[in-house]
Amino acid sequence: MTMAPSASDRRDLLAGRVPDEVLSSRALDRHALAHDASHYLLVPELVARPRSTEEVAGLLRTCDEVGLPLTFRAGGTSLSGQAVGEHLLVDVRRHFSRDVEVLDGGGRVRVAPGVTVRMVNARLARHRRKLGPDPASENACTVGGVVANNSSGMHCGTELNTYSTLDSLVVVLADGTVVDTGAPDADERLRAQRPDLHEGLLRLRDRVRGDAGSVATLRRLFALKNTMGYGLNSFLDHDDPVAILEHLMVGSEGTLGFIASATFRTVPVRPHVATGLLVFDTVGAATGSVPRIVEAGAVTAELLDAASLRVSARAPGAPGEITGLRVEDHAALLVEWHADTAEELAASVGVAQPVLDGMPLTSPAALTQDPTGRAALWKVRKALYSAVAGARPQGTNALLEDVAVPVDDLGRTCVDLQSLVGRHGYEETVIFGHAKDGNVHFMLNEQFDDPVALRRYADFTEDLVELILGRGGTLKAEHGTGRIMAPFVERQYGPELYAVMRELKSLLDPAGILGPGSILNDDPQAHLTHLKTAPQVEQEVDRCVECGFCEPVCPSRDLTLTPRQRIVVRRELTAAAARGDVALAAELDEDYEYSGVDTCAVDGMCLTACPVQIDTGDLTRRLRRESADPVSRAGWGAAARVWQVASRAGGLGLTLADRLPGGLGETLTDAVRAVAPHDLVPRYDRRLPGGGPARPRLTAQEPGAVFFAACVGSMFGPEEGSGGATAALLALAERAGVPLRTPEGLGGLCCGTPWKSKGMEDGYAAMAHRVLPALWAATDQGMLPVVCDAVSCSEGLAVMVRRAAELGHPECAALRLVDSVAWAQEVLVPRLPAPARLGRVAVHPTCGTEALGLTATLVALAGEIADDVVVPTDWGCCGFAGDRGLLHPELTAAATAPESAEVERLAREEGEFDAHVSANRTCELGMTRATGRAYRHVLELLEEATR
């Protein structure tokens, strides 16, 4: 019997043909990428991260020759199992995530496959254009996945989805052939490069068109949102083989080729919007009203069933329309009208209102244009996933499914679906979705390591298939066939069209190496194999549903691990230990130290994107605390008691080390380590300025605020010739006539972030016992606000105040913390002279401005001194993260690379900026290091502009 080649054998087969740096067989990489947003789990033997289309083509040629199956993965937000594989997993997110080329003044856009939808739309925003497909996962899903899954969304329907707005593709076929469908002679080139493929596509086209039953089935199914099987409607809609090939790639889930680039025709952004929530007595009444609502001009009609309304009413900030409703069998439609002008919107609403008034609503219809009110209504819709998934029982997986039926059948289908989930014992299942398209989603919580539960899921799936196909619907509307519905493709399309799909796959991928197991699968139980389990690991991460929404905002995403990957590796480590795989557990544990702990910025950005509100930094802080040696604990505990000495020693050491020659500077830095807490000043970077000015000591008879000057301003100092944020704030306050007071012993006080980020709870508590009483006294028992001049420290103080009761100072929970950016905008600017204006300023927001909701305020304050304020679309946390930028400068380099490249591109294409600003000293250092341009606190420029 011939033995299957091992992972090492497979790597040997690729050796010399694929660059070593592209391939990895390391357990950490393989297990980190084994998980996506679906409920399937396959651990690949190898991981590849190609860096260019040419490397992908070479990899495909090699895999085709040696018979090595491979699966493509980008954002990993797929829900049907199409982005996981057990052989070679090709990650195309890391090196294909930046190229966006706006064409025709925004009329078209060319995008690399690893770019997120949100990023593309951010680049198009200045042209008032956007992509047609608008999936709810736009912050994390990538364009490659959008094309590969024929993604749509809440507004676009079938008219503006991927298939309908695609302009051209660059495709790499299984044998390495590269096809640019946008080339003027693309069809002739295809005929010359692959005459067999050209002829085969014509043959299949004629076969499909020649069968009246096939034509009728395709027309019926693709009148709906439909991502089940291959898009054989391409044979009806296009004549030339290259155009057919182009559109067959849409929805092919990486099983027919690799999408190296996609060009879309964009759609206009209509900025004037009216939104309303229409509540009906029953789901039938709601769905029955959809045709009239669409005829009245609504572009959106999102359905929420009774369970959805009950869940939504428990969400923080839910509007009164929901919280005041006594839900029985009610259902609601979230509806919207869009227009180019206010006048056009008013006219549209005027036409729609009588229609809405004539509907069987439980309360009168009201449409709002208020952004706050609209946001509250959309929170109802968007909170469903987090509310249900986050509250699921321990050990279960959350499954988000979708189907579509003709709109006329939607009401009774929803009723039957509610009955179906109840009959199979699924509790708290919500049904919601895109009612105007007949497309609904529903969520199940299931425990796949329980044989009884697995049988229940199998029986439910069989009943679901019967229900949807019996209504003339499709088993997959948006999420792709993947593994979950592969066994049912033939039942939906019939044997003739299924045979066409088989021949198409053989034509494009004769060796069967692309995406094995997805779309076409001979195993009738494929949807019940390779299922995830959810082992209980640790409280910080057990709620994670592995959706991947956190990944685009993580500073270490292009260096080591993302928050999702940190979590899944912990799960894999626990599972390995439980089954006695000591070697794997040891290997994962060893590699996790650097990739999972050392290079985590603990900046909280993952929390801002997580639908179930996980801050993976909590995990990292605990692991750092548990791994800290006694010397470190003692050093940080002592630092809390003598912080003024320690912080000044650190700043002085950095300053002197910069001025002394070579070895003497290094010696002094080592001496600083002995005085300051262990690894506080781990190494001196000669690109960093030295220590700064002494911290202020102010008194005032009638102060307007208490000033808490951040110690990072002293330790890291301002740019050459600048007084820094502290001096700027003092000068601005004096100029505006607002006296300031500082707390007693300010030089020895700190926001606590250095201790919190390392998990040093004893030292943190010791510092809090000094800071909170000092602030309470300085603010006259909470009467005055506390203003801080570094946003990371403002956030740190805010956290400390939130924990005041826990830390033994409950009265201090009443303290009011205000970052200097917000305080300057609200209090100082109205009292300052009119500023001298700059032309163009680049703004770097920070993780702190995001956490405190101050990014818009930072931009507005920059707008007080500049005519054109630019926030790079690729901005992200700089990863400096206190001492991370010193300990691991590679983290900062990786985190700032996208934004740095964009700043360079903007300067080259549109002219250099007059200034670069941020709101935190270490962030300014990180961006200065990355771009070679001096970043300064926005208050410094405001002070100079108002002299």
Side-chain angles (χ1 to χ4, degrees):
M1 184 175 69
T2 302
M3 297 291 291
S6 66
S8 60
D9 292 336
R10 291 186 186 277
R11 179 158 189 148
D12 290 342
L13 288 172
L14 301 180
R17 305 188 188 196
V18 179
D20 288 343
E21 57 270 29
V22 168
L23 283 178
S24 173
S25 58
R26 190 172 67 144
L28 187 81
D29 295 328
R30 296 188 297 107
H31 286 268
L33 288 169
H35 296 244
D36 68 355
S38 76
H39 52 281
Y40 293 95
L41 174 63
L42 291 94
V43 180
E45 297 170 339
L46 293 168
V47 168
R49 287 191 170 104
R51 298 161 294 187
S52 65
T53 299
E54 292 72 25
E55 283 192 346
V56 173
L59 184 65
L60 282 172
R61 277 192 297 271
T62 300
C63 290
D64 191 44
E65 291 170 10
V66 304
L68 175 59
L70 60 91
T71 299
F72 291 107
R73 173 196 176 105
T77 59
S78 301
L79 292 162
S80 300
Q82 59 267 61
V84 292
E86 59 189 323
H87 302 293
L88 173 63
L89 189 69
V90 184
D91 174 16
V92 296
R93 180 195 63 81
R94 180 169 293 186
H95 298 298
F96 290 84
S97 61
R98 298 184 191 171
D99 294 339
V100 179
E101 184 180 1
V102 177
L103 308 170
D104 305 335
R108 293 184 304 143
V109 62
R110 182 179 297 122
V111 190
V115 182
T116 63
V117 171
R118 188 204 70 82
M119 186 61 64
V120 180
N121 286 337
R123 289 285 299 275
L124 290 169
R126 63 185 299 182
H127 304 283
R128 292 184 60 180
R129 309 287 295 186
K130 64 177 182 176
L131 291 177
D134 59 335
S137 57
E138 65 171 2
N139 286 354
C141 70
T142 63
V143 167
V146 164
V147 178
N149 292 293
N150 192 20
S151 295
S152 49
M154 289 179 282
H155 304 302
C156 70
T158 57
E159 300 81 13
L160 299 176
N161 66 2
T162 307
Y163 183 91
S164 298
T165 59
L166 186 67
D167 183 73
S168 65
L169 293 175
V170 175
V171 177
V172 185
L173 302 180
D175 65 351
T177 300
V178 179
V179 179
D180 180 357
T181 69
D185 58 346
D187 198 66
E188 290 79 4
R189 288 188 187 184
L190 180 62
R191 190 200 308 268
Q193 289 175 298
R194 288 288 306 274
D196 60 321
L197 176 57
H198 193 276
E199 186 276 330
L201 291 172
L202 288 174
R203 184 177 66 254
L204 290 177
R205 179 199 67 183
D206 295 342
R207 175 177 173 177
V208 171
R209 291 181 178 184
D211 188 305
S214 293
V215 172
T217 297
L218 293 174
R219 292 298 186 205
R220 172 177 60 83
L221 288 173
F222 284 96
L224 307 171
K225 283 185 174 180
N226 177 29
T227 60
M228 188 74 169
Y230 290 121
L232 300 187
N233 56 321
S234 304
F235 289 117
L236 305 181
D237 299 337
H238 302 279
D239 296 321
D240 295 337
V242 75
I244 293 171
L245 174 65
E246 172 183 286
H247 288 84
L248 283 169
M249 288 293 161
V250 178
S252 64
E253 302 177 16
T255 65
L256 300 180
F258 169 65
I259 297 160
S261 173
T263 301
F264 292 86
R265 296 181 296 277
T266 64
V267 301
V269 172
R270 308 186 76 191
H272 296 272
V273 182
T275 307
L277 190 72
L278 312 179
V279 182
F280 298 81
D281 288 338
T282 66
V283 70
T287 57
S289 301
V290 168
R292 292 178 62 201
I293 292 172
V294 173
E295 288 174 8
V299 298
T300 302
E302 292 289 293
L303 174 71
L304 297 91
D305 75 342
S308 301
L309 293 174
R310 283 191 288 269
V311 169
S312 299
R314 300 196 293 266
E321 295 97 317
I322 296 295
T323 57
L325 183 65
R326 183 177 177 181
V327 178
E328 296 176 359
D329 294 326
H330 294 82
L333 294 173
L334 181 61
V335 294
E336 249 184 20
W337 277 258
H338 296 176
D340 291 321
T341 65
E343 295 75 17
E344 183 183 335
L345 181 62
S348 297
V349 171
V351 170
Q353 194 67 54
V355 177
L356 302 182
D357 292 341
M359 290 183 176
L361 303 174
T362 61
S363 58
L367 301 179
T368 179
Q369 300 176 44
D370 173 60
T372 302
R374 291 186 54 247
L377 290 173
W378 273 110
K379 188 173 184 178
V380 168
R381 166 66 172 84
K382 294 181 177 180
L384 287 172
Y385 182 81
S386 58
V388 177
R392 73 193 187 282
Q394 281 280 0
T396 64
N397 291 99
L399 284 69
L400 182 61
E401 282 294 1
D402 78 314
V403 295
V405 296
V407 173
D408 291 345
D409 287 312
L410 181 59
R412 65 189 182 116
T413 300
C414 288
V415 171
D416 289 346
L417 188 54
Q418 289 171 330
S419 174
L420 184 62
V421 297
R423 187 165 72 248
H424 286 278
Y426 289 108
E427 299 178 356
E428 201 69 8
T429 298
V430 296
I431 300 174
F432 58 97
H434 319 308
K436 75 180 182 68
D437 302 310
N439 172 204
V440 293
H441 305 289
F442 57 94
M443 289 187 64
L444 307 175
N445 294 322
E446 194 54 279
Q447 187 167 350
F448 290 122
D449 56 0
D450 179 351
V452 175
L454 182 60
R455 184 69 258 164
R456 172 177 69 165
Y457 174 66
D459 293 342
F460 169 80
T461 301
E462 190 65 34
D463 288 347
L464 175 69
V465 170
E466 288 294 324
L467 171 63
I468 300 305
L469 296 187
R471 295 278 159 77
T474 175
L475 298 170
K476 277 295 163 190
E478 295 185 307
H479 299 167
T481 309
R483 299 171 181 277
I484 192 170
M485 284 299 164
F488 306 103
V489 174
E490 184 170 7
R491 282 170 65 176
Q492 176 165 314
Y493 283 92
E496 166 58 19
L497 286 173
Y498 190 68
V500 172
M501 292 185 189
R502 284 286 187 185
E503 187 169 341
L504 174 66
K505 172 68 170 173
S506 296
L507 182 65
L508 280 156
D509 180 22
I513 64 168
L514 300 179
S518 291
I519 298 186
L520 304 180
N521 197 313
D522 292 327
D523 182 2
Q525 302 295 305
H527 60 302
L528 303 177
T529 60
H530 302 296
L531 294 169
K532 277 181 189 173
T533 59
Q536 186 172 345
V537 181
E538 41 220 346
Q539 62 178 358
E540 298 96 334
V541 301
D542 281 347
R543 296 193 318 279
C544 178
V545 293
E546 301 180 11
C547 64
F549 285 18
C550 57
E551 294 191 337
V553 299
C554 177
S556 60
R557 66 188 182 276
D558 292 334
L559 177 67
T560 51
L561 298 177
T562 67
R564 170 171 61 177
Q565 291 166 357
R566 287 183 169 89
I567 289 171
V568 302
V569 170
R570 297 289 296 175
R571 287 176 170 169
E572 289 288 327
L573 201 159
T574 300
R579 64 176 179 265
D581 193 341
V582 178
L584 174 60
E587 182 181 352
L588 291 174
D589 191 43
E590 180 180 358
D591 287 342
Y592 191 85
E593 184 66 25
Y594 173 76
S595 296
V597 178
D598 292 348
T599 54
C600 176
V602 295
D603 61 349
M605 287 296 287
C606 49
L607 177 64
T608 68
C610 178
V612 294
Q613 295 296 286
I614 294 174
D615 182 351
T616 316
D618 291 341
L619 168 66
T620 301
R621 282 185 281 269
R622 179 174 62 78
L623 295 176
R624 288 176 181 171
R625 179 174 69 249
E626 292 174 354
S627 65
D629 58 73
V631 174
S632 292
R633 293 176 190 234
W636 279 96
R641 293 186 291 274
V642 292
W643 184 242
Q644 184 167 7
V645 174
S647 62
R648 287 189 175 179
L652 178 63
L654 287 173
T655 302
L656 294 180
D658 188 35
R659 295 175 182 172
L660 292 174
L664 290 176
E666 294 174 7
T667 300
L668 181 57
T669 301
D670 290 337
V672 170
R673 288 179 183 162
V675 178
H678 177 65
D679 78 11
L680 177 66
V681 191
R683 66 173 67 92
Y684 177 71
D685 187 327
R686 292 183 177 275
R687 290 167 292 186
L688 303 182
R695 302 174 76 183
R697 297 178 178 275
L698 307 178
T699 56
Q701 294 301 316
E702 297 180 2
V706 171
F707 181 34
F708 190 99
C711 51
V712 293
S714 295
M715 291 187 66
F716 293 106
E719 293 292 331
E720 191 71 28
S722 167
T726 298
L729 181 60
L730 294 175
L732 287 167
E734 181 178 5
R735 194 171 300 155
V738 182
L740 293 174
R741 174 191 293 171
T742 60
E744 285 295 322
L746 175 60
L749 303 181
C750 176
C751 69
T753 298
W755 291 266
K756 181 167 70 76
S757 67
K758 294 178 179 298
M760 300 291 182
E761 279 296 312
D762 291 343
Y764 182 81
M767 180 57 73
H769 288 318
R770 299 174 64 187
V771 171
L772 291 173
L775 292 180
W776 187 245
T779 60
D780 297 334
Q781 292 75 50
M783 297 299 293
L784 297 174
V786 178
V787 178
C788 183
D789 59 346
V791 72
S792 64
C793 302
S794 297
E795 183 188 0
L797 288 172
V799 171
M800 187 179 286
V801 168
R802 284 199 299 271
R803 295 182 58 187
E806 170 195 339
L807 292 164
H809 301 277
E811 73 285 356
C812 295
L815 288 168
R816 290 177 292 145
L817 278 304
V818 185
D819 183 71
S820 60
V821 169
W823 191 68
Q825 178 73 357
E826 180 182 352
V827 176
L828 299 184
V829 167
R831 295 173 169 83
L832 292 171
R837 300 187 68 80
L838 299 172
R840 192 157 165 262
V841 169
V843 174
H844 170 69
T846 75
C847 54
T849 62
E850 284 290 286
L852 296 176
L854 293 178
T855 296
T857 305
L858 172 63
V859 173
L861 189 57
E864 299 286 350
I865 57 174
D867 296 327
D868 185 15
V869 177
V870 178
V871 178
T873 56
D874 265 328
W875 85 266
C877 171
C878 70
F880 205 95
D883 65 0
R884 293 300 99 178
L886 297 171
L887 281 166
H888 299 289
E890 69 275 16
L891 172 61
T892 301
T896 56
E899 183 176 359
S900 176
E902 185 175 356
V903 169
E904 179 63 37
R905 179 184 62 80
L906 290 171
R908 184 175 62 252
E909 294 177 358
E910 302 176 14
E912 189 59 78
F913 292 95
D914 295 311
H916 302 76
V917 301
S918 190
N920 203 72
R921 184 66 193 127
T922 52
C923 304
E924 293 153 23
L925 292 173
M927 289 305 299
T928 297
R929 173 190 291 175
T931 65
R933 295 164 169 83
Y935 275 75
R936 301 167 64 196
H937 198 291
V938 66
L939 292 184
E940 296 183 59
L941 271 73
L942 179 65
E943 190 278 323
E944 292 171 3
T946 55
R947 287 177 182 174

